[in-house]
């Protein structure tokens, strides 16, 4: 017999009062370890997979894992962790499993070239198929593991707050703070090209300096994550959840878990059917907005290496450009962190968060369009002024780094305002906020899947490089700005004041 989730009676060792802030601070710190690895993914892995011989037009396909795991893994893990009956608690088994999976994936990614060579790859050939296969397996495991960690960590914070709204907001602020710290650490590590000297054994016949530096960055990432997870797993209590029926045997428990898993997607499907028009319009605008963002997230450092520094994949000029791009992403994270403190007051200043989102989408559109200007300036220097590849002028470097920095403003808004609007619209319609936010996530990951699938070929059709995808992003950003003004209802000031606007991130 397979009971429905509504018929399940559970008794949990729930906290009758909220936990101390120091425990929330400890759990939130895991975000730094997660985001450290995610920052390395964004800054170094697209260039790295091209050094293994994957053509630029195909490299974006590898990034399909992120949105797919976000669409499938996060709901399953979140729903299952709510009902996990392990004696170690509801959240800790998932945090431990996720951390171990990250360690395995990092090993596979870092040593993909070495394993491929050991199993028969010919280093004289441009494409190393075995190394690519190992890399893809490790990359997909890493994305799944990150999603396994992020959901339970956020849910753990909710458990610790025990319904205290003030502590919930504080815990979310802690989490956002540590995400910013992880971003800065990850991008700073990616921008430093001599980190591999700390681990001289990382440079091998199959793994050049760029590859060795990637290994070293990931070593620091996994060390930080494992230390933070160990602290949380040993120092923060996570009460065991027990099914209410005392005589339920193991077979019935398994049936119960199966029924709960099915009901996870059943409730998500039901949420789609019950969506009100404001949520549907929000999903449309969010989807178009992410068509604008994802080319930037896919190709930002590759653009620096190819178009700005004028290097070919694997060349010193290209590697210097990738490291400079990582520095730009670090500046982007600093601006994002500072901007996250100003989201609510700026929303009030411009007449509401809807208008704020529209305004920053115009900034995003202009910024993406400016990549064409910066690229042409760099190319003209190399063509007419005799500037060597890898040595763009100070003006071009400043323009490129300014591009990264300025985009921290709209990124902070994108990481917060759509979720605040979803919270407002769902409250006004009487819908469940949890499911409404889950539905909104679909409008984020589906565009990412589409962009991952088409961007490489799109670039190839229009002459190669990264500019065609960036121009597509600029158009999508402008369209989303217009649609935000036209389609989204104006929330009431009272509703806006109740919504928690917290900057987060996406995996």
């Amino acid at each position: 017999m397979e009971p429905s989730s509504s018929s399940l009676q559970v008794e949990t060792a729930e906290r009758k009062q909220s936990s101390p802030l120091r425990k929330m601070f400890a759990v939130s710190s895991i975000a730094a370890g997660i985001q450290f690895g995610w920052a390395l993914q964004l800054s170094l892995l697209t260039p790295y997979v091209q050094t293994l011989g994957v053509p630029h037009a195909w490299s974006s396909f590898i990034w399909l894992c992120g949105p797919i795991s976000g669409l499938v893994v996060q709901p399953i893990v979140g729903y299952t962790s709510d009902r996990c009956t392990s004696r170690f608690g509801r959240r800790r088994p998932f945090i431990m499993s996720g951390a171990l999976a990250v360690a395995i994936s990092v090993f596979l990614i870092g040593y993909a070239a070495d394993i491929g060579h050991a199993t028969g790859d010919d280093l004289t050939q441009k494409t190393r198929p075995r190394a690519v296969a190992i890399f893809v397996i490790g990359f997909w495991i890493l994305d799944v593991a990150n999603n396994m960690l992020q959901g339970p960590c956020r849910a753990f914070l909710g458990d610790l707050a025990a319904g205290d709204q003030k502590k919930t907001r504080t815990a979310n602020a802690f989490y956002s703070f540590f995400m910013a710290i992880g971003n800065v650490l990850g991008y700073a590590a990616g921008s430093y090209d001599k980190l591999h000297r700390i681990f001289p054994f990382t440079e091998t016949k199959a793994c050049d300096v760029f590859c060795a530096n990637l290994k070293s960055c990931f070593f620091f990432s996994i060390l930080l994550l494992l230390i933070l997870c160990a602290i949380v797993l040993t120092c923060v209590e996570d009460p065991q959840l027990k099914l209410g029926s005392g005589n339920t045997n193991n077979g019935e428990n398994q049936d119960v878990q199966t029924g709960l898993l099915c009901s996870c997607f059943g409730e998500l499907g039901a949420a789609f059917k019950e969506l009100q028009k404001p949520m549907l319009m929000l999903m449309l605008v969010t989807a178009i907005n992410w068509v604008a963002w994802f080319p930037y997230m896919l190709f930002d450092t590759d653009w620096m290496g190819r178009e700005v520094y004028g290097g070919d994949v694997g060349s010193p000029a290209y590697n210097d450009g990738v490291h400079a791009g990582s520095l730009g992403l670090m500046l982007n994270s600093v601006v994002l962190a500072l901007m996250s403190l100003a989201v609510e007051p700026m929303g009030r200043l411009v007449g509401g968060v809807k208008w704020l989102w529209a305004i920053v989408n115009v900034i995003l559109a202009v910024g993406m369009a400016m990549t064409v200007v910066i690229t042409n300036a760099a190319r003209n220097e190399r063509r007419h002024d005799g500037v060597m590849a890898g040595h763009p002028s100070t003006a071009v470097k400043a323009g490129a780094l300014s591009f990264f920095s300025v985009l921290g403003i709209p990124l902070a808004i994108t990481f917060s305002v759509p979720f605040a609007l979803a919270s407002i619209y769902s409250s006004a319609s009487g819908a469940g906020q949890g499911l409404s936010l889950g539905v909104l996530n679909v409008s984020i990951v589906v565009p990412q899947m589409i962009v991952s699938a088409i961007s490489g070929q799109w670039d190839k059709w229009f002459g190669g490089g990264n500019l065609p995808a960036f121009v597509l992003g600029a158009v999508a950003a402008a369209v989303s700005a217009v649609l935000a003004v036209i389609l989204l209802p104006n929330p009431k000031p009272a509703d806006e004041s109740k919504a928690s606007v917290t900057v987060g991130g996406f995996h």
Side-chain angles (χ1 to χ4, degrees):
M1 180 176 167
E2 204 172 86
S4 68
S5 60
S6 59
S7 66
L8 264 178
Q9 300 295 321
V10 293
E11 56 182 33
T12 108
E14 289 189 32
R15 300 171 177 79
K16 294 182 179 179
Q17 57 184 10
S18 59
S19 298
L21 286 176
R22 66 177 182 275
K23 293 187 176 181
M24 299 180 192
F25 190 84
V27 173
S28 299
S29 69
I30 294 178
I34 298 172
Q35 208 67 19
F36 193 137
W38 178 243
L40 292 174
Q41 280 182 270
L42 289 177
S43 59
L44 299 182
L45 291 192
T46 292
Y48 175 60
V49 75
Q50 292 178 76
T51 67
L52 300 179
V54 176
H56 178 269
W58 293 95
S59 61
S60 60
F61 280 100
I62 296 173
W63 284 86
L64 279 169
C65 175
I68 290 175
S69 61
L71 186 65
V72 177
V73 176
Q74 275 208 30
I76 292 176
V77 169
Y79 204 81
T80 307
S81 72
D82 282 342
R83 294 152 178 82
C84 176
T85 57
S86 168
R87 63 189 179 90
F88 297 106
R90 286 188 290 178
R91 318 298 179 187
R92 286 193 291 189
F94 293 91
I95 293 174
M96 180 174 67
S97 301
L100 293 176
V102 168
I104 293 170
S105 66
V106 165
F107 174 81
L108 291 175
I109 291 172
Y111 283 88
D114 297 306
I115 296 172
H117 178 50
T119 55
D121 275 346
D122 184 352
L123 298 183
T124 64
Q125 298 296 315
K126 182 178 180 180
T127 302
R128 292 179 259 171
R130 294 172 181 82
V132 171
I134 296 296
F135 172 88
V136 171
I137 292 171
F139 187 85
W140 280 57
I141 293 174
L142 180 59
D143 259 326
V144 170
N146 279 337
N147 280 293
M148 284 180 64
L149 278 166
Q150 186 170 244
C153 283
R154 286 189 177 275
F156 203 177
L157 291 174
D159 297 342
L160 294 171
D164 187 320
Q165 292 300 314
K166 183 177 180 180
K167 284 193 173 181
T168 298
R169 289 193 295 271
T170 302
N172 284 329
F174 285 160
Y175 197 89
S176 296
F177 169 77
F178 279 110
M179 286 184 74
I181 293 295
N183 272 334
V184 172
L185 290 175
Y187 294 137
S191 67
Y192 184 57
D193 60 0
K194 296 180 176 58
L195 198 62
H196 65 282
R197 293 181 179 177
I198 302 174
F199 305 105
F201 62 87
T202 57
E203 189 175 355
T204 64
K205 185 177 181 180
C207 184
D208 61 11
V209 172
F210 182 82
C211 168
N213 202 64
L214 176 68
K215 279 184 191 175
S216 303
C217 289
F218 272 125
F219 285 159
F220 282 110
S221 167
I222 191 58
L223 182 63
L224 175 64
L225 179 62
L226 291 177
I227 289 173
L228 294 174
C229 286
I231 292 172
V232 171
L233 293 173
T234 55
C235 299
V236 183
E237 181 187 1
D238 184 17
Q240 181 182 8
L241 176 78
K242 296 180 180 179
L243 294 174
S245 177
N247 58 359
T248 303
N249 60 36
N250 289 337
E252 289 174 336
N253 280 347
Q254 188 173 1
D255 287 341
V256 166
Q257 296 299 331
T258 302
L260 291 174
L261 189 59
C262 293
S263 66
C264 167
F265 291 100
E267 289 184 27
L268 192 61
F272 272 107
K273 294 180 182 179
E274 297 174 2
L275 287 178
Q276 302 295 315
K277 184 178 178 180
M279 272 301 299
L280 290 171
M281 295 300 100
L282 176 61
M283 290 180 65
L284 174 63
V285 176
T286 301
I288 296 173
N289 188 234
W290 272 94
V291 171
W293 274 113
F294 209 53
Y296 163 77
M297 294 186 171
L298 274 178
F299 301 124
D300 42 23
T301 54
D302 188 63
W303 170 70
M304 284 289 283
R306 286 175 182 271
E307 278 86 358
V308 179
Y309 275 65
D312 296 319
V313 174
S315 68
Y318 179 82
N319 293 342
D320 288 344
V322 170
H323 292 305
S326 296
L327 174 62
L329 288 170
M330 186 186 73
L331 296 175
N332 176 278
S333 296
V334 172
V335 174
L336 187 154
L338 295 174
M339 197 49 205
S340 67
L341 304 175
V343 173
E344 291 192 42
M346 285 189 66
R348 290 193 295 269
L349 182 65
V350 300
V353 291
K354 158 190 155 176
W355 287 96
L356 177 61
W357 194 22
I359 291 169
V360 298
N361 279 334
V362 174
I363 296 175
L364 173 60
V366 173
M368 296 291 274
M370 284 300 295
T371 58
V372 177
V373 177
I374 297 168
T375 298
N376 286 334
R379 286 175 177 169
N380 287 335
E381 284 184 351
R382 292 191 294 272
R383 188 179 299 125
H384 302 299
D385 300 338
V387 174
M388 294 178 60
H391 299 84
S393 67
T394 302
V396 169
K397 288 181 184 177
L401 293 178
S402 297
F403 159 73
F404 282 97
S405 301
V406 170
L407 257 61
I409 298 172
L411 193 60
I413 307 305
T414 301
F415 280 0
S416 56
V417 167
F419 292 95
L421 289 173
S423 175
I424 293 167
Y425 295 155
S426 62
S427 296
S429 66
Q433 290 195 26
L435 280 177
S436 295
L437 294 177
V439 168
L440 182 65
N441 190 55
V442 174
S443 66
I444 296 169
V445 299
V446 170
Q448 291 182 16
M449 293 167 65
I450 295 172
V451 172
S452 295
I454 71 168
S455 60
Q457 191 60 41
W458 175 273
D459 289 344
K460 187 176 180 180
W461 286 340
F462 291 92
N466 299 298
L467 291 188
F470 283 7
V471 171
L472 174 65
V475 173
V479 171
S480 66
V482 174
L483 293 182
V485 174
I486 296 174
L487 298 181
L488 297 181
N490 280 313
K492 297 177 181 178
D495 292 332
E496 281 198 24
S497 65
K498 294 176 184 177
S500 178
V501 181
T502 304
V503 173
F506 303 101
H507 293 264

